[in-house]
């Protein structure tokens, strides 16, 4: 029970810190920040792949779902970054 309360406390504090940091970022930098944070979800893919390797079927199912959603998030982040960088290219 203490572990759950500690994890919940860390999660709630992380949410507050995340909201505070995002509110302080100027609107001009929202897209690069979003793209960077989406790329960080590559770490989620690694964790999900480790979860898939466990013998529990429930863990394998959740790991697979996490891999799918994290992959969508990472690909979306790179597409947004590519589109943003295209706005700065010189037109011929």
């Amino acid at each position: 029970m203490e572990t759950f309360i500690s994890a919940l406390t860390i999660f709630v504090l992380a949410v507050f810190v995340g909201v505070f940091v995002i509110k302080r970022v100027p609107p001009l930098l929202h897209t690069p920040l979003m793209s960077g944070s989406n790329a960080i979800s590559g770490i989620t893919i690694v964790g999900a792949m480790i979860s898939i390797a466990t013998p529990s079927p429930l863990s394998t199912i959740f790991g697979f779902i996490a891999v799918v959603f994290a992959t969508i998030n990472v690909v979306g982040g790179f597409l947004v970054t590519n589109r943003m960088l295209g706005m700065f290219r010189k037109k011929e």
Side-chain angles (χ1 to χ4, degrees):
M1 187 66 179
E2 289 183 25
T3 305
F4 175 74
I5 291 174
S6 297
L8 183 64
T9 303
I10 291 171
F11 177 74
V12 169
L13 289 175
V15 168
F16 281 120
V17 169
V19 169
F20 182 76
V21 168
I22 294 298
K23 280 188 173 184
R24 294 283 182 162
V25 173
L28 184 63
L29 296 177
H30 276 184
T31 302
L33 179 66
M34 183 185 68
S35 298
S37 65
N38 284 341
I40 291 173
S41 57
I43 296 169
T44 305
I45 292 175
V46 173
M49 291 175 81
I50 292 171
S51 175
I52 288 174
T54 59
S56 169
L58 187 63
S59 177
T60 302
I61 292 170
F62 283 131
F64 177 75
I65 292 171
V67 165
V68 169
F69 283 124
T71 302
I72 291 171
N73 199 14
V74 168
V75 170
F78 283 117
L79 289 176
V80 167
T81 301
N82 188 29
R83 185 174 180 181
M84 179 193 69
L85 292 176
M87 294 178 357
F88 293 106
R89 288 188 190 121
K90 291 183 179 178
K91 295 179 181 166
E92 297 175 9

